[in-house]
Amino acid sequence: MIPRLLMLPEDESFFLFGPRGTGKTTILKHLPWYQRSFYINLLLSSEEKAYSKNPDRLINIVKALPEVTTH
């Protein structure tokens, strides 16, 4: 993987925007905390449709996530 100068927060939510094919997903999957992150891929038509039909779905999912403490 190409070294990046990007500094991503480890203890906050964030949006990662950019043009297609620039390595956004690749860099996320290589972060140490990726496995415990909540990831929505709206490029999957099934996910895009689900959230379009029921925008409150995201709120319900986030409320159901286990609480995480960082120390």
Side-chain angles (χ1 to χ4, degrees):
M1 184 165 63
I2 298 170
R4 310 278 181 176
L5 299 175
L6 181 63
M7 301 295 285
L8 298 172
E10 292 188 29
D11 58 350
E12 298 175 14
S13 298
F14 65 91
F15 289 97
L16 182 60
F17 296 104
R20 293 181 68 186
T22 57
K24 296 177 300 295
T25 301
T26 301
I27 195 167
L28 288 177
K29 289 182 177 181
H30 284 87
L31 295 172
W33 39 268
Y34 175 77
Q35 294 302 319
R36 63 179 199 269
S37 298
F38 180 64
Y39 178 82
I40 301 171
N41 186 351
L42 295 176
L43 290 177
L44 296 175
S45 61
S46 60
E47 287 196 32
E48 191 274 330
K49 284 180 188 176
Y51 287 100
S52 292
K53 288 181 180 179
N54 183 9
D56 289 337
R57 180 176 187 223
L58 177 60
I59 293 170
N60 296 331
I61 290 171
V62 171
K63 284 182 178 179
L65 290 173
E67 194 148 330
V68 177
T69 58
T70 56
H71 295 322

